[in-house]
Amino acid sequence: MEHKTTQYGGTATVHIDVTRSNSVPSLGDLSNETTPVTSSRRTASWASDDTMVRDEESDLLSNKFHYAASAVEYEDDDDSYTPQSRRRPWIVFFMISGATILAILLALDISLRVSQMSWTESEKDEEDPIFSRWGAPGSGTEDLAWYPTNFLRDVVPKSIHSHNDYWRKVPLFTALRQGCMGVEADVWLFDDPERSDSLYVGHDQAALQPNRTFQSLYIQPLVDILERQNPATAFYNDNYRGVFDMDPNQTLTLLVDVKTSGAETWAKVVEQLEPLRQRDWLTFYANGTTHTRPITVVGTGNTPFELLTLNSTYRDYFYDAPLHKLTSSSGYDATNSYYASVSFGSTIGSPWMGGLGAEQIERIRAQVKAAHERGLKARYWDLPSWPISTRNRLWDLLVKEGVDLLNVDDVKGASKRKWKY
């Protein structure tokens, strides 16, 4: 007997030989036997015996038959088929499409470059020769190329305080370029009879350098900037333009963080403010009135409040009051202080899930209100700086709640925020 089966990818043919044993009697032989039937009982007995015989014969047949299966041969109809072959057309399609897109982009880039070159050449051809030598010596335009107040002329001042400003690649100027309204200098007093600059600027003593002084990094640069902002001409006879040309009435806060002995160091700070004092560029308090000038000096750190307020009728420097201790009996107000600051982490706490709780926000509102009632500017230092998303949300929240200056390290990132000051 031959049996064929079809499998995936080919046809299998199975040959089966069946041999029957001759020793088993056939059913025909059994059926030819004659047995008289005398009664219905006999008939039933015979039927039962016949059934038994048939069952016995079936068992004998199943035991005696044996099968010999020949080898199974597979005939493969498609030797070249693989699962990857079904994806080949799509791969080719995407490769051709990608190459076409790249070719189009390359052609556009080349055409734009050629057009730009032609436009540039056209502009050069049409340019008046006088502009190519504008401001050059001997051109007759030397004085016309100079704008008297061109420093920071396009910078809008923002309510940002440059924390640890001396860490920046270019102290003071980097912060001003970003529109910061406050800068901070940590000063250390080391008396040296051979040097007039005895106030050094740095975060700790290991960072101090002889050429990085309070005079060289802040006092003299501020004098140079303000002299440029206040040129002596036939049209201008004033002296109170600040560092920002967009808002010349905006004062710049110079926060001096005293790191060494308070009394001696602060006395030296007051002494080195003289170049600004002589030109009347320091905000001062006199006879119950505060007069705003381009620079407002504020003492913090080890600055002694008692020494700073010793002169009750005149002073051209102010104190950084503790924001969390503003009470009716504290004595801090606009006559002796300018900032009111405190550590954010120690008084407000850490943000939870990227934000602040209702109790924390109420605490901020109460402290800001207390500062404003006394004419002081609220400021929090030690603000969280990471993650950036949390930091930015806190910045937005503090500005919304009326904090006057944001104490930041990333002045560039802060300056790009779109706040309504």
Side-chain angles (χ1 to χ4, degrees):
M1 179 174 62
E2 181 179 277
H3 178 67
K4 285 190 176 182
T5 61
T6 302
Q7 293 189 354
Y8 183 72
T11 302
T13 303
V14 181
H15 300 279
I16 303 175
D17 292 336
V18 181
T19 305
R20 178 176 176 179
S21 175
N22 294 325
S23 62
V24 181
S26 65
L27 293 176
D29 296 336
L30 294 175
S31 62
N32 291 332
E33 294 183 3
T34 57
T35 305
V37 180
T38 58
S39 65
S40 60
R41 185 173 183 179
R42 176 66 176 170
T43 303
S45 176
W46 171 251
S48 176
D49 293 342
D50 183 62
T51 301
M52 293 176 62
V53 170
R54 290 177 180 274
D55 292 341
E56 184 178 357
E57 181 184 22
S58 177
D59 293 339
L60 290 172
L61 287 173
S62 62
N63 291 331
K64 293 295 182 177
F65 282 110
H66 64 275
Y67 300 91
S70 63
V72 180
E73 299 177 356
Y74 292 94
E75 300 174 0
D76 196 351
D77 295 335
D78 187 8
D79 293 336
S80 63
Y81 175 81
T82 60
Q84 290 80 3
S85 63
R86 300 183 64 183
R87 295 196 295 267
R88 287 175 184 170
W90 290 103
I91 295 174
V92 173
F93 171 76
F94 284 123
M95 290 178 64
I96 295 175
S97 300
T100 303
I101 294 173
L102 289 176
I104 294 173
L105 293 176
L106 181 60
L108 289 174
D109 181 67
I110 294 174
S111 62
L112 288 174
R113 289 178 182 272
V114 172
S115 300
Q116 186 178 13
M117 291 174 62
S118 63
W119 294 337
T120 304
E121 292 298 328
S122 177
E123 290 178 356
K124 288 182 178 179
D125 294 339
E126 296 177 0
E127 187 179 80
D128 195 311
I130 191 173
F131 292 118
S132 62
R133 301 188 65 247
W134 188 263
S139 64
T141 62
E142 295 90 340
D143 294 335
L144 298 179
W146 176 71
Y147 187 72
T149 60
N150 61 355
F151 183 74
L152 302 177
R153 63 178 179 269
D154 58 346
V155 176
V156 177
K158 306 174 183 68
S159 299
I160 303 172
H161 176 82
S162 177
H163 177 240
N164 291 341
D165 181 76
Y166 47 84
W167 271 349
R168 311 197 185 285
K169 186 175 182 180
V170 184
L172 180 63
F173 291 93
T174 300
L176 293 180
R177 184 59 186 155
Q178 300 302 327
C180 295
M181 292 164 51
V183 294
E184 178 179 339
D186 294 356
V187 297
W188 304 72
L189 175 63
F190 291 96
D191 277 327
D192 185 353
E194 298 181 0
R195 293 179 58 89
S196 59
D197 290 339
S198 54
L199 285 177
Y200 301 93
V201 176
H203 192 66
D204 50 37
Q205 288 185 239
L208 302 181
Q209 294 293 325
N211 61 335
R212 295 177 65 86
T213 66
F214 188 52
Q215 283 285 325
S216 65
L217 293 182
Y218 293 97
I219 301 301
Q220 286 304 321
L222 286 173
V223 170
D224 294 340
I225 292 171
L226 292 174
E227 284 182 344
R228 291 175 179 271
Q229 291 294 94
N230 295 277
T233 68
F235 307 96
Y236 181 78
N237 192 27
D238 206 345
N239 196 40
Y240 303 131
R241 289 176 57 85
V243 297
F244 299 106
D245 201 53
M246 292 288 290
D247 188 1
N249 294 323
Q250 175 61 53
T251 187
L252 174 70
T253 304
L254 176 58
L255 183 66
V256 182
D257 190 347
V258 174
K259 293 298 185 181
T260 46
S261 175
E264 293 81 2
T265 306
W266 184 250
K268 196 66 175 180
V269 170
V270 173
E271 176 187 323
Q272 293 200 3
L273 293 175
E274 191 60 28
L276 296 170
R277 184 179 295 114
Q278 289 177 353
R279 294 166 174 81
D280 196 19
W281 285 336
L282 293 178
T283 299
F284 65 96
Y285 168 81
N287 301 321
T289 304
T290 299
H291 303 269
T292 302
R293 293 294 185 265
I295 306 297
T296 300
V297 177
V298 179
T300 189
N302 291 334
T303 301
F305 179 71
E306 296 77 10
L307 179 61
L308 186 145
T309 58
L310 190 61
N311 188 339
S312 60
T313 59
Y314 177 89
R315 68 180 65 91
D316 52 16
Y317 38 78
F318 299 85
Y319 192 65
D320 184 18
L323 180 58
H324 60 305
K325 295 181 179 180
L326 297 180
T327 62
S328 57
S329 59
S330 62
Y332 303 112
D333 56 38
T335 65
N336 53 49
S337 302
Y338 188 78
Y339 277 171
S341 309
V342 72
S343 167
F344 184 88
S346 63
T347 58
I348 305 302
S350 301
W352 174 253
M353 299 296 290
L356 298 179
E359 182 181 351
Q360 291 174 304
I361 295 176
E362 287 301 323
R363 198 177 307 140
I364 291 174
R365 290 173 179 172
Q367 293 178 354
V368 171
K369 180 181 178 182
H372 291 172
E373 288 176 348
R374 291 160 177 78
L376 307 179
K377 298 185 180 300
R379 179 182 71 101
Y380 288 99
W381 51 275
D382 189 30
L383 293 175
S385 59
W386 187 264
I388 299 298
S389 58
T390 299
R391 181 201 70 179
N392 291 347
R393 281 194 293 270
L394 284 178
W395 284 355
D396 293 340
L397 175 65
L398 293 177
V399 171
K400 179 182 177 181
E401 296 299 333
V403 173
D404 297 282
L405 275 95
L406 288 176
N407 194 86
V408 303
D409 294 304
D410 182 8
V411 294
K412 188 174 183 179
S415 67
K416 293 183 180 299
R417 305 293 293 174
K418 295 182 179 180
W419 294 317
K420 295 181 180 179
Y421 292 102

